[in-house]
Amino acid sequence: MALIEWREEFRIGIDAVDHEHQQLIELINRAHKSIEVDAPRDVVELFLGEIFSKIAAHFALEESVMRRSNYDQYLEHKQDHEALLDDILDIITEFDGGGFDHMSEKLSHRLRDWFVGHFKSKDARLHNLLGVF
Ligand SMILES: [Fe+2]
Ligand SMILES: [Fe+2]
């Protein structure tokens, strides 16, 4: 079963963002699957690197839009982004240090809950308020 199932309630109503969120979910699901099937280390490593860079790029885009629009909750939103990127870096560091144990639980606990919660609260507010990108 996929780690994160796309649900209609995640939809923000701006196609480009919904599409990017769907792609991120898909990537996380594929990474999770690779861990579940005991894929070779380098495959999992590539997935983790890709997750980090794609999510970082998505956040950078949101943050530049917020700055341009003088968005009132810029700092809180950015802090939330930074907390997740720190979490992903922790997972990567741990994995590089040799840890493979409980990787799928770590990904699911930290990424799924965070991601789903962030979409529904912070991203939904941002995109609804600005109505752009
Ligand atoms: Fe987002
Ligand atoms: Fe966000």
Side-chain angles (χ1 to χ4, degrees):
M1 204 186 97
L3 178 62
I4 309 173
E5 300 280 351
W6 174 264
R7 295 200 293 263
E8 277 308 302
E9 62 184 296
F10 296 162
R11 198 174 290 285
I12 280 163
I14 293 140
D15 287 347
V17 177
D18 288 330
H19 183 68
E20 227 171 273
H21 284 162
Q22 273 166 328
Q23 284 182 322
L24 292 175
I25 285 180
E26 217 173 276
L27 179 63
I28 292 168
N29 283 338
R30 281 168 51 219
H32 184 249
K33 185 94 208 155
S34 76
I35 293 165
E36 270 186 343
V37 301
D38 276 330
R41 259 195 101 75
D42 54 337
V43 172
V44 178
E45 227 155 28
L46 277 178
F47 269 124
L48 293 176
E50 205 182 332
I51 286 178
F52 184 84
S53 60
K54 292 257 167 69
I55 290 181
H58 178 73
F59 288 171
L61 173 67
E62 283 187 4
E63 287 163 19
S64 78
V65 171
M66 285 191 276
R67 278 194 304 273
R68 276 207 305 275
S69 328
N70 286 321
Y71 185 60
D72 61 343
Q73 290 188 4
Y74 171 70
L75 280 180
E76 294 101 302
H77 198 134
K78 188 176 161 58
Q79 271 164 11
D80 224 28
H81 286 170
E82 281 164 2
L84 179 72
L85 291 176
D86 280 351
D87 269 354
I88 300 173
L89 276 183
D90 282 350
I91 292 175
I92 293 176
T93 307
E94 212 179 304
F95 186 72
D96 285 347
F100 210 110
D101 286 351
H102 308 298
M103 277 297 291
S104 69
E105 285 114 283
K106 276 175 205 156
L107 267 185
S108 65
H109 290 156
R110 296 196 211 170
L111 289 187
R112 181 183 53 198
D113 298 346
W114 187 92
F115 221 66
V116 169
H118 186 85
F119 278 1
K120 289 204 292 193
S121 57
K122 295 215 164 15
D123 283 357
R125 181 184 190 274
L126 167 68
H127 300 303
N128 285 333
L129 216 82
L130 297 182
V132 288
F133 92 100

